Short mmCIF file of all heavy atoms in Angstrom, two decimals:
data_model
loop_
_atom_site.label_atom_id
_atom_site.label_comp_id
_atom_site.label_asym_id
_atom_site.label_seq_id
_atom_site.Cartn_x
_atom_site.Cartn_y
_atom_site.Cartn_z
N ALA A 355 -24.56 -95.73 4.15
CA ALA A 355 -24.59 -95.05 5.45
C ALA A 355 -23.27 -95.27 6.17
O ALA A 355 -22.75 -96.37 6.20
CB ALA A 355 -25.74 -95.61 6.27
N TRP A 356 -22.75 -94.19 6.74
CA TRP A 356 -21.39 -94.26 7.28
C TRP A 356 -21.26 -95.17 8.48
O TRP A 356 -20.28 -95.88 8.63
CB TRP A 356 -20.89 -92.85 7.62
CG TRP A 356 -21.47 -92.27 8.87
CD1 TRP A 356 -22.62 -91.56 8.98
CD2 TRP A 356 -20.92 -92.36 10.20
NE1 TRP A 356 -22.84 -91.20 10.27
CE2 TRP A 356 -21.82 -91.68 11.04
CE3 TRP A 356 -19.80 -92.95 10.74
CZ2 TRP A 356 -21.60 -91.56 12.41
CZ3 TRP A 356 -19.59 -92.84 12.11
CH2 TRP A 356 -20.48 -92.16 12.93
N LEU A 357 -22.31 -95.13 9.34
CA LEU A 357 -22.16 -95.83 10.62
C LEU A 357 -22.05 -97.34 10.42
O LEU A 357 -21.10 -97.97 10.87
CB LEU A 357 -23.36 -95.50 11.50
CG LEU A 357 -23.26 -95.94 12.94
CD1 LEU A 357 -22.14 -95.21 13.66
CD2 LEU A 357 -24.58 -95.70 13.65
N PRO A 424 -20.56 -78.95 23.46
CA PRO A 424 -21.15 -79.56 22.26
C PRO A 424 -20.15 -79.67 21.11
O PRO A 424 -20.16 -80.64 20.36
CB PRO A 424 -22.29 -78.60 21.91
CG PRO A 424 -21.91 -77.30 22.54
CD PRO A 424 -21.14 -77.64 23.77
N HIS A 427 -17.80 -82.54 21.71
CA HIS A 427 -18.54 -83.80 21.46
C HIS A 427 -18.60 -84.08 19.97
O HIS A 427 -18.31 -85.19 19.49
CB HIS A 427 -19.97 -83.69 22.00
CG HIS A 427 -20.11 -84.21 23.38
ND1 HIS A 427 -19.75 -85.48 23.72
CD2 HIS A 427 -20.55 -83.62 24.53
CE1 HIS A 427 -19.97 -85.66 25.00
NE2 HIS A 427 -20.43 -84.54 25.53
N TRP A 428 -19.01 -83.03 19.25
CA TRP A 428 -19.14 -83.19 17.79
C TRP A 428 -17.79 -83.53 17.16
O TRP A 428 -17.70 -84.39 16.29
CB TRP A 428 -19.70 -81.90 17.18
CG TRP A 428 -19.50 -81.89 15.69
CD1 TRP A 428 -20.24 -82.56 14.77
CD2 TRP A 428 -18.47 -81.22 14.98
NE1 TRP A 428 -19.74 -82.34 13.52
CE2 TRP A 428 -18.65 -81.52 13.62
CE3 TRP A 428 -17.42 -80.38 15.36
CZ2 TRP A 428 -17.81 -81.01 12.63
CZ3 TRP A 428 -16.58 -79.88 14.39
CH2 TRP A 428 -16.78 -80.20 13.03
N ALA A 431 -16.96 -87.16 17.63
CA ALA A 431 -17.90 -87.99 16.88
C ALA A 431 -17.63 -87.85 15.39
O ALA A 431 -17.63 -88.83 14.63
CB ALA A 431 -19.33 -87.57 17.21
N GLN A 435 -16.49 -90.43 12.32
CA GLN A 435 -17.17 -90.54 11.03
C GLN A 435 -16.17 -90.38 9.89
O GLN A 435 -16.24 -91.07 8.88
CB GLN A 435 -18.25 -89.48 10.92
CG GLN A 435 -19.06 -89.62 9.65
CD GLN A 435 -19.96 -88.43 9.39
OE1 GLN A 435 -19.93 -87.46 10.12
NE2 GLN A 435 -20.75 -88.52 8.35
N LEU A 697 -23.22 -76.72 10.62
CA LEU A 697 -22.63 -76.17 11.84
C LEU A 697 -22.45 -74.67 11.73
O LEU A 697 -22.63 -73.93 12.69
CB LEU A 697 -21.27 -76.85 12.12
CG LEU A 697 -21.43 -78.27 12.60
CD1 LEU A 697 -20.33 -79.14 12.09
CD2 LEU A 697 -21.47 -78.28 14.11
N TRP A 698 -22.07 -74.26 10.51
CA TRP A 698 -21.94 -72.82 10.28
C TRP A 698 -23.31 -72.16 10.44
O TRP A 698 -23.45 -71.13 11.07
CB TRP A 698 -21.36 -72.61 8.88
CG TRP A 698 -21.48 -71.21 8.39
CD1 TRP A 698 -20.71 -70.14 8.75
CD2 TRP A 698 -22.45 -70.70 7.48
NE1 TRP A 698 -21.13 -69.02 8.11
CE2 TRP A 698 -22.20 -69.33 7.31
CE3 TRP A 698 -23.51 -71.28 6.76
CZ2 TRP A 698 -22.97 -68.52 6.48
CZ3 TRP A 698 -24.27 -70.47 5.93
CH2 TRP A 698 -23.99 -69.12 5.79
N ALA A 699 -24.34 -72.82 9.87
CA ALA A 699 -25.69 -72.26 9.96
C ALA A 699 -26.17 -72.19 11.41
O ALA A 699 -26.94 -71.31 11.77
CB ALA A 699 -26.65 -73.11 9.14
N GLY A 701 -24.33 -71.46 13.88
CA GLY A 701 -23.67 -70.39 14.63
C GLY A 701 -22.19 -70.54 14.88
O GLY A 701 -21.63 -69.81 15.70
N ARG A 704 -16.93 -69.42 10.22
CA ARG A 704 -16.13 -70.18 9.24
C ARG A 704 -14.69 -70.33 9.73
O ARG A 704 -14.06 -71.36 9.55
CB ARG A 704 -16.15 -69.44 7.89
CG ARG A 704 -17.44 -69.60 7.16
CD ARG A 704 -17.53 -68.69 5.99
NE ARG A 704 -17.68 -67.30 6.43
CZ ARG A 704 -17.67 -66.25 5.61
NH1 ARG A 704 -17.50 -66.42 4.33
NH2 ARG A 704 -17.82 -65.03 6.08
N PRO A 786 -20.85 -67.38 1.88
CA PRO A 786 -22.07 -67.90 2.50
C PRO A 786 -23.00 -68.55 1.49
O PRO A 786 -23.60 -69.59 1.77
CB PRO A 786 -22.69 -66.64 3.11
CG PRO A 786 -21.53 -65.75 3.39
CD PRO A 786 -20.54 -66.01 2.29
N ILE A 790 -24.63 -72.20 1.75
CA ILE A 790 -26.08 -72.41 1.74
C ILE A 790 -26.47 -73.42 0.65
O ILE A 790 -27.31 -74.29 0.86
CB ILE A 790 -26.81 -71.06 1.51
CG1 ILE A 790 -26.66 -70.19 2.76
CG2 ILE A 790 -28.28 -71.27 1.20
CD1 ILE A 790 -27.06 -68.76 2.55
N PHE A 793 -26.62 -77.12 1.43
CA PHE A 793 -27.74 -77.75 2.13
C PHE A 793 -28.58 -78.58 1.17
O PHE A 793 -29.06 -79.65 1.47
CB PHE A 793 -28.65 -76.69 2.77
CG PHE A 793 -27.93 -75.87 3.81
CD1 PHE A 793 -28.35 -74.58 4.09
CD2 PHE A 793 -26.85 -76.37 4.50
CE1 PHE A 793 -27.71 -73.83 5.05
CE2 PHE A 793 -26.20 -75.61 5.46
CZ PHE A 793 -26.64 -74.34 5.72
N ARG A 797 -27.19 -82.94 0.89
CA ARG A 797 -27.98 -83.74 1.81
C ARG A 797 -28.94 -84.66 1.09
O ARG A 797 -29.35 -84.37 0.00
CB ARG A 797 -28.78 -82.81 2.73
CG ARG A 797 -27.90 -81.93 3.56
CD ARG A 797 -27.43 -82.66 4.77
NE ARG A 797 -26.01 -82.53 4.90
CZ ARG A 797 -25.30 -83.20 5.77
NH1 ARG A 797 -25.84 -84.05 6.56
NH2 ARG A 797 -24.01 -83.03 5.87
N HIS B 49 -32.74 -66.43 4.48
CA HIS B 49 -31.30 -66.49 4.78
C HIS B 49 -30.79 -65.15 5.28
O HIS B 49 -29.94 -65.09 6.17
CB HIS B 49 -30.52 -66.92 3.53
CG HIS B 49 -30.83 -68.31 3.09
ND1 HIS B 49 -30.61 -68.77 1.81
CD2 HIS B 49 -31.37 -69.37 3.77
CE1 HIS B 49 -30.98 -70.02 1.71
NE2 HIS B 49 -31.45 -70.41 2.90
N LEU B 54 -27.48 -65.57 7.50
CA LEU B 54 -26.66 -66.50 6.70
C LEU B 54 -26.01 -65.75 5.55
O LEU B 54 -24.94 -66.13 5.07
CB LEU B 54 -27.52 -67.65 6.16
CG LEU B 54 -27.99 -68.68 7.19
CD1 LEU B 54 -29.09 -69.56 6.60
CD2 LEU B 54 -26.84 -69.56 7.65
N GLU B 55 -26.66 -64.70 5.08
CA GLU B 55 -26.11 -63.88 4.00
C GLU B 55 -26.28 -62.42 4.37
O GLU B 55 -27.05 -62.07 5.27
CB GLU B 55 -26.86 -64.15 2.70
CG GLU B 55 -26.50 -65.47 2.06
CD GLU B 55 -27.03 -65.55 0.64
OE1 GLU B 55 -28.19 -65.99 0.48
OE2 GLU B 55 -26.31 -65.15 -0.28
N ASP B 74 -19.07 -61.19 10.44
CA ASP B 74 -19.24 -62.65 10.38
C ASP B 74 -19.49 -63.23 11.77
O ASP B 74 -20.42 -64.03 11.97
CB ASP B 74 -17.98 -63.26 9.74
CG ASP B 74 -18.23 -64.67 9.27
OD1 ASP B 74 -19.31 -64.91 8.72
OD2 ASP B 74 -17.34 -65.52 9.45
N ALA B 78 -22.84 -64.98 13.29
CA ALA B 78 -22.77 -66.34 13.84
C ALA B 78 -23.40 -66.37 15.22
O ALA B 78 -24.14 -67.29 15.57
CB ALA B 78 -21.31 -66.81 13.90
N ARG B 81 -27.17 -66.37 14.93
CA ARG B 81 -27.73 -67.68 14.58
C ARG B 81 -27.69 -68.63 15.77
O ARG B 81 -28.56 -69.46 15.97
CB ARG B 81 -26.95 -68.31 13.41
CG ARG B 81 -27.07 -67.54 12.13
CD ARG B 81 -26.60 -68.38 10.94
NE ARG B 81 -25.19 -68.74 11.01
CZ ARG B 81 -24.21 -67.99 10.55
NH1 ARG B 81 -24.47 -66.81 10.00
NH2 ARG B 81 -22.96 -68.38 10.63
N ARG B 82 -26.61 -68.47 16.57
CA ARG B 82 -26.43 -69.34 17.73
C ARG B 82 -27.47 -69.04 18.81
O ARG B 82 -28.02 -69.95 19.41
CB ARG B 82 -25.03 -69.08 18.28
CG ARG B 82 -24.28 -70.31 18.64
CD ARG B 82 -22.81 -70.10 18.86
NE ARG B 82 -22.36 -68.87 19.45
CZ ARG B 82 -21.43 -68.08 18.91
NH1 ARG B 82 -20.90 -68.39 17.75
NH2 ARG B 82 -21.03 -66.99 19.52
N PHE B 89 -34.43 -76.47 8.34
CA PHE B 89 -34.21 -76.56 6.89
C PHE B 89 -35.08 -77.65 6.28
O PHE B 89 -35.44 -78.63 6.94
CB PHE B 89 -32.74 -76.92 6.62
CG PHE B 89 -31.76 -75.88 7.11
CD1 PHE B 89 -31.12 -76.03 8.33
CD2 PHE B 89 -31.48 -74.75 6.35
CE1 PHE B 89 -30.21 -75.09 8.78
CE2 PHE B 89 -30.56 -73.82 6.79
CZ PHE B 89 -29.94 -73.98 8.00
N GLN B 91 -33.98 -79.71 4.14
CA GLN B 91 -33.16 -80.94 4.05
C GLN B 91 -32.70 -81.42 5.42
O GLN B 91 -31.73 -82.16 5.52
CB GLN B 91 -31.93 -80.67 3.18
CG GLN B 91 -32.22 -80.07 1.82
CD GLN B 91 -32.84 -81.08 0.88
OE1 GLN B 91 -32.82 -82.27 1.15
NE2 GLN B 91 -33.41 -80.60 -0.21
N ASN B 93 -30.64 -81.17 7.64
CA ASN B 93 -29.28 -80.75 8.03
C ASN B 93 -28.93 -81.12 9.45
O ASN B 93 -28.41 -80.32 10.22
CB ASN B 93 -29.10 -79.24 7.82
CG ASN B 93 -28.94 -78.91 6.36
OD1 ASN B 93 -28.22 -79.61 5.65
ND2 ASN B 93 -29.63 -77.90 5.88
N ILE B 95 -26.65 -83.38 12.14
CA ILE B 95 -25.22 -83.70 12.12
C ILE B 95 -25.09 -85.23 12.18
O ILE B 95 -25.45 -85.84 13.19
CB ILE B 95 -24.50 -83.01 13.28
CG1 ILE B 95 -24.61 -81.50 13.06
CG2 ILE B 95 -23.04 -83.43 13.35
CD1 ILE B 95 -24.22 -80.67 14.23
N PRO B 96 -24.64 -85.83 11.08
CA PRO B 96 -24.75 -87.30 10.98
C PRO B 96 -23.90 -88.04 12.01
O PRO B 96 -24.18 -89.18 12.33
CB PRO B 96 -24.25 -87.59 9.55
CG PRO B 96 -23.51 -86.37 9.12
CD PRO B 96 -24.07 -85.22 9.88
N SER B 97 -22.86 -87.39 12.53
CA SER B 97 -21.97 -88.10 13.45
C SER B 97 -22.49 -88.08 14.89
O SER B 97 -21.93 -88.74 15.75
CB SER B 97 -20.57 -87.50 13.39
OG SER B 97 -20.64 -86.10 13.55
N ARG B 102 -27.97 -85.92 21.10
CA ARG B 102 -26.96 -84.85 21.00
C ARG B 102 -27.34 -83.84 19.93
O ARG B 102 -27.06 -82.66 20.07
CB ARG B 102 -25.60 -85.47 20.69
CG ARG B 102 -25.02 -86.22 21.88
CD ARG B 102 -23.52 -86.00 21.98
NE ARG B 102 -23.02 -86.39 23.30
CZ ARG B 102 -22.47 -87.58 23.55
NH1 ARG B 102 -22.33 -88.46 22.60
NH2 ARG B 102 -22.03 -87.86 24.77
N PHE B 106 -27.87 -79.88 20.61
CA PHE B 106 -26.65 -79.25 20.09
C PHE B 106 -26.71 -77.72 20.14
O PHE B 106 -25.84 -77.05 20.70
CB PHE B 106 -26.39 -79.73 18.67
CG PHE B 106 -25.02 -79.37 18.16
CD1 PHE B 106 -23.90 -80.06 18.60
CD2 PHE B 106 -24.85 -78.33 17.26
CE1 PHE B 106 -22.64 -79.72 18.15
CE2 PHE B 106 -23.60 -77.98 16.81
CZ PHE B 106 -22.49 -78.68 17.25
N ARG B 109 -26.85 -76.08 23.55
CA ARG B 109 -25.56 -76.12 24.23
C ARG B 109 -24.62 -75.09 23.63
O ARG B 109 -23.83 -74.46 24.34
CB ARG B 109 -24.97 -77.52 24.14
CG ARG B 109 -25.82 -78.55 24.90
CD ARG B 109 -25.25 -79.93 24.79
NE ARG B 109 -24.03 -80.06 25.57
CZ ARG B 109 -23.14 -81.02 25.39
NH1 ARG B 109 -23.33 -81.91 24.42
NH2 ARG B 109 -22.07 -81.08 26.13
N TYR B 135 -28.85 -92.77 15.31
CA TYR B 135 -28.17 -91.76 14.48
C TYR B 135 -29.10 -91.33 13.36
O TYR B 135 -30.01 -92.09 12.98
CB TYR B 135 -26.87 -92.34 13.92
CG TYR B 135 -25.77 -92.38 14.95
CD1 TYR B 135 -25.69 -93.41 15.86
CD2 TYR B 135 -24.84 -91.34 15.03
CE1 TYR B 135 -24.70 -93.44 16.83
CE2 TYR B 135 -23.84 -91.36 16.00
CZ TYR B 135 -23.77 -92.42 16.89
OH TYR B 135 -22.80 -92.42 17.85
N GLU B 137 -29.03 -91.27 10.23
CA GLU B 137 -29.21 -92.17 9.08
C GLU B 137 -30.13 -93.34 9.40
O GLU B 137 -30.56 -94.04 8.49
CB GLU B 137 -27.85 -92.69 8.62
CG GLU B 137 -27.20 -93.62 9.63
CD GLU B 137 -25.77 -93.97 9.26
OE1 GLU B 137 -25.09 -93.13 8.68
OE2 GLU B 137 -25.35 -95.10 9.57
#
Side-chain angles (χ1 to χ4, degrees):
Chain A
W356 76 272
L357 190 65
H427 266 303
W428 165 78
Q435 185 191 3
L697 287 145
W698 166 77
R704 285 170 289 174
I790 289 168
F793 298 153
R797 299 277 130 188
Chain B
H49 294 158
L54 288 166
E55 285 193 272
D74 197 40
R81 295 195 297 273
R82 224 166 35 234
F89 298 98
Q91 308 287 346
N93 285 317
I95 296 168
S97 51
R102 288 219 164 97
F106 192 76
R109 295 179 71 199
Y135 283 83
E137 68 188 33

